[in-house]
Amino acid sequence: MVLMKGDMWDVFNEVDYFLITTNPIVNKQGLAVMGRGIAKQAANRFPDIRKRFGDLLLLDENDMWNIGHIAKYGNTDVWYFMVKRHWADDADPRIIKASALSLAALAVAMPRKSFALNFPGIGNGNLNREDVLPLLKCLPDNVSVWEYE
């Protein structure tokens, strides 16, 4: 993993995979709840993403995936990276660890691809950076983890 400072959106068109931290909740209209942090930024940039993500989540309401593909915008694939079970919860270190392990397996299998992930759990997830960082140590160097300065 490579730690980066700045706005991850600056590299959106330069990476193959752009992962946003999120939760698996869908509202009554079938839209993914993406109301804070980078998930909200993605929803503002891509008006159809909440419906597309909601449709994916509704395919199997009893299964919570760790990471997965939502949509492709331009040359970049947007994926989700689960950090919590419900949007109102704090981020769960166990979910972050499971998501990180899934991302690590994908990134190792595709060493020529680049991945960008916002630092999970430390914004609206209310976790301490020092507690989350060890959970990300499994990520290879083709994954950049972004944190605002």
Side-chain angles (χ1 to χ4, degrees):
M1 146 186 71
V2 177
L3 293 174
M4 302 293 291
K5 295 274 189 184
D7 187 346
M8 191 169 91
W9 290 104
D10 290 344
V11 298
F12 181 80
N13 292 313
E14 300 169 16
V15 297
D16 299 300
Y17 296 89
F18 192 89
L19 287 96
I20 58 172
T21 53
T22 192
N23 67 83
I25 301 300
V26 178
N27 69 17
K28 291 178 183 176
Q29 292 77 34
L31 304 175
V33 175
M34 300 172 74
R36 296 190 293 185
I38 198 160
K40 182 177 183 177
Q41 293 171 13
N44 289 339
R45 285 176 184 258
F46 309 116
D48 66 328
I49 198 168
R50 292 182 64 213
K51 174 75 169 116
R52 292 173 91 164
F53 188 28
D55 289 347
L56 288 172
L57 293 168
L58 290 172
L59 286 176
D60 187 354
E61 294 176 341
N62 298 316
D63 188 17
M64 189 180 92
W65 310 306
N66 296 320
I67 65 169
H69 182 258
I70 301 173
K72 188 171 190 108
Y73 296 99
N75 292 323
T76 302
D77 286 295
V78 176
W79 282 49
Y80 61 86
F81 182 102
M82 290 293 172
V83 297
K84 53 176 81 172
R85 295 192 192 289
H86 190 276
W87 63 265
D89 295 341
D90 285 346
D92 184 331
R94 294 167 300 175
I95 296 172
I96 292 172
K97 180 65 174 176
S99 296
L101 289 170
S102 295
L103 176 55
L106 181 67
V108 165
M110 298 190 303
R112 294 183 183 199
K113 298 293 184 179
S114 57
F115 299 80
L117 167 69
N118 63 297
F119 204 111
I122 63 171
N124 292 308
N126 296 315
L127 298 179
N128 292 319
R129 183 186 189 281
E130 297 76 27
D131 295 331
V132 175
L133 190 58
L135 306 175
L136 307 177
K137 292 292 183 186
C138 61
L139 298 173
D141 285 345
N142 57 334
V143 177
S144 58
V145 177
W146 289 79
E147 180 175 18
Y148 284 112
E149 290 189 73

